[in-house]
C-alpha cells in the first residue's frame, strides 16, 4: 500500500485531479443548509425526486430523463426512508412538507453536488486519455510501421503521455466545467457519459478491438438517458467517424462482418435500454408528451436568436466571442493548432481517424443542438470547450518538445501563463460562491428584520436568499399555488404582483427585476418568447419600474452586490453573483 501510494503521488495526473477537486469544493455547501438550492436549473435537492415520481406515472412526464435520478436515489435512500418515517402521514402534503425541511434538502443537494464533482473529474481523466490516444498518431509512430528503436519509442510514448497530461490540465481549468462540476445541473453528468462513449469509440479503432463498441453504445445511451441533448454529440459524429474509418483504413474493410456483428446488436440493446429507462415502453403517453414539450415550448420559448440566417449569424458571432475573448482566445488558437497538427500526421490511419472524433463531436453538437435550439449560453457550449482540450494538449505537447530550445522555453512559459490566467477565472467562480451577495443580504436582514415583520418576495427559489424564521414571508404571483416550488415558512399568494400586502420589506434579485425593466439579451430586436411575455406585461412593468425608482412608498434600504476585485465579475448563470435589492417601506 505504501508503494502504491508513493506511485500515485508521483503521478502528475493525480495532482491535476486534486487541483480540479479543490476548485470544485467551494460550491459544495453554497447556499446551504436550506430548503432549496441556489443552482438554477439544478436537479437537486428536489427535481430528482419529482423525476422519479413522474417518469413512470401514466400520462405524466418530467422534463429530463430519469437515469441520474435513479443513480442519486441509491445514496439518498437513507434520507428518503427517514423522511417517510417522520412524516405525520403519507398524504402528499405531509410528505412534501417533511421532505422540504432544510435537513433533508441539504443532504440531497450535497449528494448531487458530490456526484457532479466526481463526474467532472471523470471528464478530466477522459480528456487526458483521448489526447494520449490521439497524440500516439499525431506525434509520430504507427502500428503498421513501428518505431525502429527503443529510444525513439520511449520518446514517442513520453510525448503522448505529456499531451494527455496537458489536455487533462486544460480540462481541469476549464471555466464552464469548474462551475458545473460543483452544482447539481445535469450538464456534467450527461457529458460524463458522452465523453466515455467517445473514448470507447476511439479505443475500439486505435486498439482494433471492436468489442469496445459495446461500451461506446451503452455509454451513449446513458448520456441520452441523463439529458436528451446528449444525442447531439453522436448524431453526426459517429456516422462520419465510421465512414472515415472505413474509407481511410484497410483493417475495418477486412473485418467488416465482425464490426457489423458488434455494432448492430450493441446499438439495438442501447436503444432498448434507453426506451425502457425513459419510460417509452412503460409510459408511452407520458413519453410522447415529454418529447412534444422538448421539441416545442421547452426549446422554442427560450430560443435566443430568430430562426433565420440572421439568427444563425448572431449565434456564430456570440460563439466566436465566447471562444475568442481573453485567455479563451489563446486556448482556442492552441486547439486549432492541435487539430491541424493531428490532421497532418497520417502514418497510422486508424489513430488519425480516432483523433478526429472529438472534433466531429464538437461539430455534431453545434449543428444538431446549438443551431436547432438557438442557444449559446455557457452550458450549451460546454461540450465544445471540453472537447477542445484534447487538441490543446496535442499542440502544447508539440510546442514544448520542439527541437529548438527557445521554442520549448517560450512554449512552457506561455502555457504556464495561460494556466495561471485560467486559474484566476476559476477562483473567481469559487469567490462568487463563497462571497455570494445573498450572504450579505441575509446578514443585513438578521440585523434589521424584527419578529413578525412582513417580507414580500419575488422570483424563483434559486434567485432568493434565506429569510429570518421569525419574519412573515409572502410571495405573490399569478401562477397557481399548487404548481409552485414551495419554501417552508413562505406564504404563497395567487395575486398580481402589485397587490397591496402588509410588508415592511421587499426582497428581489436585481437580475429578476431587470427582466421587467430592461430588454437585455435581445439580438436585433429578437427576444426569447419567455422574455417577450414578461416585457408585454405592462402592469408588472409599471409596478417594478416604480419600485426601482422609489415611487411606491418603498426606498432602497440595502443592496448586496458582487465581491470586488481582485477577481473578475463572473455571471455564468442567473443565480450566481447577482445583486440582491432590499426595499423598506418609507416612514
Amino acid at each position: 500500500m505504501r508503494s502504491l501510494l508513493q506511485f500515485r503521488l508521483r503521478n502528475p495526473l493525480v495532482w491535476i485531479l486534486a487541483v480540479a477537486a479543490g476548485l470544485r469544493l467551494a460550491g459544495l455547501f453554497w447556499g446551504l443548509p436550506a430548503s432549496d438550492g441556489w443552482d438554477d436549473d439544478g436537479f437537486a435537492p428536489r427535481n430528482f425526486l419529482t423525476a422519479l415520481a413522474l417518469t413512470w406515472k401514466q400520462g405524466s412526464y418530467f422534463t429530463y430523463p430519469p437515469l441520474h435520478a435513479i443513480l442519486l436515489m441509491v445514496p439518498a435512500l437513507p434520507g428518503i426512508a427517514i423522511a417517510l418515517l417522520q412524516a405525520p402521514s403519507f398524504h402528499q402534503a405531509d410528505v412534501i412538507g417533511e421532505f422540504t425541511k432544510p435537513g433533508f434538502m441539504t443532504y440531497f443537494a450535497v449528494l448531487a453536488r458530490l456526484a457532479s464533482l466526481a463526474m467532472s473529474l471523470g471528464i478530466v481523466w477522459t480528456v487526458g486519455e483521448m489526447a494520449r490516444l490521439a497524440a500516439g498518431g499525431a506525434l509520430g509512430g504507427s502500428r503498421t510501421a513501428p518505431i525502429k528503436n527503443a529510444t525513439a519509442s520511449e520518446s514517442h510514448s513520453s510525448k503522448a503521455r505529456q499531451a494527455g497530461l496537458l489536455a487533462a490540465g486544460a480540462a481541469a481549468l476549464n471555466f464552464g466545467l469548474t462551475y458545473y462540476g460543483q452544482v447539481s445541473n445535469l450538464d456534467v453528468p450527461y457529458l460524463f457519459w458522452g465523453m466515455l462513449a467517445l473514448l470507447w469509440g476511439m479505443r475500439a479503432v486505435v486498439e482494433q478491438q471492436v468489442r469496445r463498441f459495446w461500451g461506446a453504445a451503452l455509454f451513449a445511451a446513458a448520456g441520452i438517458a441523463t439529458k436528451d441533448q446528449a444525442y447531439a454529440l453522436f448524431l453526426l459524429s459517429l456516422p462520419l467517424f465510421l465512414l472515415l474509418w472505413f474509407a481511410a483504413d484497410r483493417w475495418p474493410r477486412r473485418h467488416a462482418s465482425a464490426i457489423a456483428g458488434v455494432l448492430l446488436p450493441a446499438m439495438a440493446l442501447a436503444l432498448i435500454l434507453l426506451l425502457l429507462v425513459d419510460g417509452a415502453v412503460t409510459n408511452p403517453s407520458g413519453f410522447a408528451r415529454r418529447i412534444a414539450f422538448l421539441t416545442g415550448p421547452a426549446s422554442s420559448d427560450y430560443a435566443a436568436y430568430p430562426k433565420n440566417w440572421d439568427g444563425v449569424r448572431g449565434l456564430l458571432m456570440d460563439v466566436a466571442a465566447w471562444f475568442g475573448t481573453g485567455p479563451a482566445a489563446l486556448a482556442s488558437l492552441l486547439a486549432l493548432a492541435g487539430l491541424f497538427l493531428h490532421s497532418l500526421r497520417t502514418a497510422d490511419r486508424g489513430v488519425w481517424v480516432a483523433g478526429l472524433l472529438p472534433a466531429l463531436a464538437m461539430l455534431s453538437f453545434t449543428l444538431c443542438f446549438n443551431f436547432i435550439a438557438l442557444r449559446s449560453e455557457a452550458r450549451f457550449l460546454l461540450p465544445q470547450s471540453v472537447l477542445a482540450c484534447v487538441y490543446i494538449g496535442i499542440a502544447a505537447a508539440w510546442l514544448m518538445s520542439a527541437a529548438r530550445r527557445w521554442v520549448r522555453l517560450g512554449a512552457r512559459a506561455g502555457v504556464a501563463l495561460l494556466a495561471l490566467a485560467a486559474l484566476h477565472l476559476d477562483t473567481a467562480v469559487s469567490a462568487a460562491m463563497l462571497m455570494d451577495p445573498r450572504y450579505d443580504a441575509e446578514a443585513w436582514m438578521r440585523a434589521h428584520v424584527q419578529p413578525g415583520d412582513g417580507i414580500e418576495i419575488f422570483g424563483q427559489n434559486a434567485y432568493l436568499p434565506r429569510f429570518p424564521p421569525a419574519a412573515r414571508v409572502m410571495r405573490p404571483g399569478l401562477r397557481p399555488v399548487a404548481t409552485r416550488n414551495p419554501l417552508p415558512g413562505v406564504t404563497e399568494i395567487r395575486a398580481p404582483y402589485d397587490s397591496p400586502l402588509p410588508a415592511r420589506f421587499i426582497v428581489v434579485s436585481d437580475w429578476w427585476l431587470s427582466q421587467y425593466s430592461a430588454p437585455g439579451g435581445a439580438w436585433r430586436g429578437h427576444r426569447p418568447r419567455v422574455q417577450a411575455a414578461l416585457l408585454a406585461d405592462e402592469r408588472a412593468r409599471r409596478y417594478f419600474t416604480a419600485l426601482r425608482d422609489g415611487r411606491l412608498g418603498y426606498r432602497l434600504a440595502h443592496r448586496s452586490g458582487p465581491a470586488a476585485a481582485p477577481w473578475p465579475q463572473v455571471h455564468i448563470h442567473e443565480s450566481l453573483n447577482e445583486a440582491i435589492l432590499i426595499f423598506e417601506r418609507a416612514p
Side-chain angles (χ1 to χ4, degrees), residues 19 21 117 122 153 170 282 317 366 412 416 462 467 469 473 552 569:
V19 170
L117 190 155
S153 177
T282 57
M317 289 169 58
T366 302
R412 291 169 186 172
F467 300 99
V473 186
L552 292 181
Q569 300 298 321

Side-chain angles (χ1 to χ4, degrees), residues 203-236:
R203 283 179 167 178
V205 170
V206 171
E207 300 170 6
Q208 295 178 346
Q209 297 290 334
V210 295
R211 69 179 185 275
R212 292 198 181 275
F213 282 124
W214 279 100
L218 294 176
F219 286 139
I224 300 171
T226 300
K227 196 172 186 182
D228 299 274
Q229 70 192 50
Y231 82 90
L233 286 169
F234 316 114
L235 190 61
L236 291 181

Side-chain angles (χ1 to χ4, degrees), residues 397-415:
W398 184 83
L399 289 170
M400 293 171 66
S401 59
R404 296 183 181 275
R405 185 171 181 270
W406 67 269
V407 175
R408 295 196 305 271
L409 294 177
R412 291 169 186 172
V415 168

Side-chain angles (χ1 to χ4, degrees), residues 184-445:
S184 65
N185 300 62
L186 290 175
D187 300 273
V188 160
Y190 94 78
L191 188 57
F192 168 73
W193 297 115
M195 295 290 287
L196 287 179
L198 297 173
L199 175 60
W200 254 247
M202 293 176 65
R203 283 179 167 178
V205 170
V206 171
E207 300 170 6
Q208 295 178 346
Q209 297 290 334
V210 295
R211 69 179 185 275
R212 292 198 181 275
F213 282 124
W214 279 100
L218 294 176
F219 286 139
I224 300 171
T226 300
K227 196 172 186 182
D228 299 274
Q229 70 192 50
Y231 82 90
L233 286 169
F234 316 114
L235 190 61
L236 291 181
S237 64
L238 292 186
L240 290 174
F241 174 61
L242 293 173
L243 285 174
L244 276 175
W245 188 32
F246 274 81
D249 196 351
R250 286 179 294 180
W251 189 90
R253 295 196 293 269
R254 293 198 303 265
H255 299 83
S257 59
I259 294 172
V262 171
L263 275 176
L264 294 178
M267 292 169 61
L269 178 61
L271 179 60
I272 292 170
L273 292 175
L274 174 62
L275 294 176
L276 282 172
V277 173
D278 260 9
V281 176
T282 57
N283 180 20
S285 61
F287 178 77
R289 291 180 61 196
R290 183 169 76 85
I291 297 301
F293 172 71
L294 292 174
T295 57
S299 57
S300 60
D301 287 0
Y302 293 89
Y305 307 88
K307 291 185 177 181
N308 53 38
W309 286 112
D310 279 346
V312 172
R313 186 161 60 91
L315 171 64
L316 290 175
M317 289 169 58
D318 286 347
V319 170
W322 176 262
F323 288 106
T325 305
L330 182 55
S332 299
L333 288 176
L334 277 176
L336 291 172
L339 178 58
F340 176 74
L341 286 170
H342 180 77
S343 67
L344 295 179
R345 305 297 196 266
T346 58
D348 189 321
R349 307 299 293 184
V351 176
W352 177 74
V353 172
L356 292 177
L357 183 56
L360 293 175
M362 294 166 65
L363 178 65
S364 179
F365 194 88
T366 302
L367 295 178
C368 299
F369 180 80
N370 297 114
F371 278 17
I372 301 299
L374 296 171
R375 305 284 295 274
S376 63
E377 294 95 313
R379 56 179 167 156
F380 301 129
L381 298 177
L382 185 62
Q384 295 95 319
S385 67
V386 168
L387 287 164
C389 295
V390 174
Y391 302 108
I392 291 174
I394 292 174
W398 184 83
L399 289 170
M400 293 171 66
S401 59
R404 296 183 181 275
R405 185 171 181 270
W406 67 269
V407 175
R408 295 196 305 271
L409 294 177
R412 291 169 186 172
V415 168
L417 290 175
L418 180 60
L420 287 174
L423 182 63
H424 183 54
L425 283 175
D426 292 335
T427 54
V429 175
S430 299
M433 289 180 162
L434 293 174
M435 295 182 284
D436 192 291
R438 282 169 285 197
Y439 292 133
D440 177 73
E442 291 169 359
W444 190 92
M445 286 189 287

